Amino acid sequence: LPGRKVLIVYAHQEPKSLNGSLKSVAVEELSKQGCSVTVSDLYAMQFEPRATRNDIVGCLHNSEMFNYGVETREAYKRRELSSDLLEEQKKVQEADLLIFQFPLYWFSMPAIMKGWMDRVLVEGFAYQFPDCYNSGLLKNKLALFSFTTGGSQETYTKGGISGDIRYLLWPMQHGIMHFCGVKVLAPHICFAPEYVSEEERKEMLLAWAQRLKTLWKEEPIDCSPEWYFK
C-alpha cells in the first residue's frame, strides 16, 4: 500500500465538525499506511463553484455563442483551462482513490462540491464519448462518498419518509463517478450525528478509522441500476 495516492475532496465550513474530524481521521489513518494524502478543502480554498467563461484562458473556440462543455473540452486540449482547474485535475490524475467528505444538503452534495464536479471533470479529461461508464477515462481509480445526514437511518429506508439512501447515491456514484469510469466503493454514512451523544459520535469516528484499515481490500459495488433500485 505504501505509495498509493489519495485525494480527499472536503466540503465543510467548520474544522471542528464531525465532517472535519472524519477528514482528519482519514488523513491520519491513510498516512499511517504509507499512502500520500492530499486534501482539497473547498471552503478554505474559496473554490469557485460556478462554471463560467473565466474557466477558459485565452481565445474561445466559438466567440459567437458560448457553450461551456465545448469550450472547456477544447481548452483542455490546448492546456488553456484556468489554473485552479488544472491543479485539481492534476490531483485527480495522480490519485488512486478519491474520497468525498461532506454533509448531505437537500438530498445531494453541497453546491461547492457539485461545482467542483461541474468544473473539474471536463470532457477529454474525465470522459469522452463514447468512452463513458466502464470505459470512462478515469477507469483505474476508486471513489468513496463519506457523508453525514440530518435524518436518522430509519428515515432513509425504502419504507422511510426519505426513501432508500441508495436513490440519492445514484446521481453521485453512478451519474458522476461511474460515468467517468471510476470504480465506486460502498459509501460511508454517518446518520444524524447532531442528534446522538458525544459517545456515539466518537464511535462513528472509530468505525471510520477501522474501515480505512482494510479499505484497499474492499471490492467495488456493482454500479448497475439493480444495486440502487432493487
Side-chain angles (χ1 to χ4, degrees):
L1 302 188
R4 297 264 177 109
K5 292 193 166 157
V6 181
L7 171 62
I8 301 175
V9 182
Y10 162 68
H12 200 288
Q13 309 86 337
E14 175 51 68
K16 296 195 286 284
S17 64
L18 186 73
N19 274 278
S21 303
L22 288 160
K23 181 259 297 168
S24 301
V25 164
V27 171
E28 196 181 326
E29 182 52 48
L30 293 164
S31 302
K32 254 190 235 163
Q33 296 174 16
C35 300
S36 97
V37 186
T38 304
V39 178
S40 285
D41 182 342
L42 301 181
Y43 285 105
M45 290 155 65
Q46 298 194 320
F47 186 81
E48 167 61 80
R50 295 170 300 178
T52 68
R53 159 74 179 90
N54 298 339
D55 292 349
I56 295 101
V57 178
C59 297
L60 290 177
H61 178 67
N62 175 1
S63 53
E64 297 302 301
M65 190 172 171
F66 184 71
N67 177 321
Y68 185 81
V70 169
E71 293 299 342
T72 48
R73 180 189 69 208
E74 296 305 315
Y76 176 74
K77 287 183 198 161
R78 303 192 304 264
R79 301 289 297 156
E80 285 182 0
L81 288 170
S82 60
S83 59
D84 61 335
L85 290 195
L86 293 175
E87 213 165 294
E88 293 306 299
Q89 287 176 343
K90 184 171 187 286
K91 294 177 194 172
V92 171
Q93 196 70 69
E94 291 175 352
D96 300 297
L97 168 67
L98 309 168
I99 295 177
F100 297 96
Q101 182 64 58
F102 59 97
L104 196 68
Y105 280 6
W106 294 117
F107 278 26
S108 187
M109 59 187 84
I112 199 166
M113 184 175 278
K114 178 59 166 59
W116 185 95
M117 305 281 183
D118 291 350
R119 295 181 63 226
V120 175
L121 302 174
V122 164
E123 184 179 352
F125 167 69
Y127 68 94
Q128 63 193 10
F129 300 105
D131 298 326
C132 332
Y133 293 114
N134 293 344
S135 54
L137 302 180
L138 303 180
K139 62 176 169 289
N140 298 324
K141 301 184 186 305
L142 290 169
L144 192 164
F145 286 88
S146 170
F147 59 96
T148 57
T149 68
S152 67
Q153 189 160 1
E154 297 73 54
T155 59
Y156 289 106
T157 55
K158 237 182 193 149
I161 187 77
S162 300
D164 192 330
I165 192 83
R166 288 192 282 197
Y167 302 158
L168 314 190
L169 289 160
W170 166 256
M172 302 185 229
Q173 295 185 151
H174 180 74
I176 303 175
M177 286 296 118
H178 185 204
F179 184 82
C180 297
V182 181
K183 291 182 179 63
V184 181
L185 295 174
H188 197 85
I189 310 167
C190 293
F191 289 98
E194 274 178 87
Y195 304 104
V196 302
S197 66
E198 196 49 50
E199 203 42 55
E200 287 170 281
R201 277 195 289 274
K202 283 191 181 131
E203 280 166 21
M204 287 176 173
L205 294 174
L206 279 172
W208 178 224
Q210 211 43 51
R211 179 176 175 192
L212 289 163
K213 289 187 199 309
T214 55
L215 196 66
W216 300 104
K217 296 195 176 97
E218 289 187 19
E219 286 297 316
I221 61 168
D222 158 26
C223 235
S224 68
E226 286 78 13
W227 187 88
Y228 296 94
F229 300 107
K230 67 185 173 198

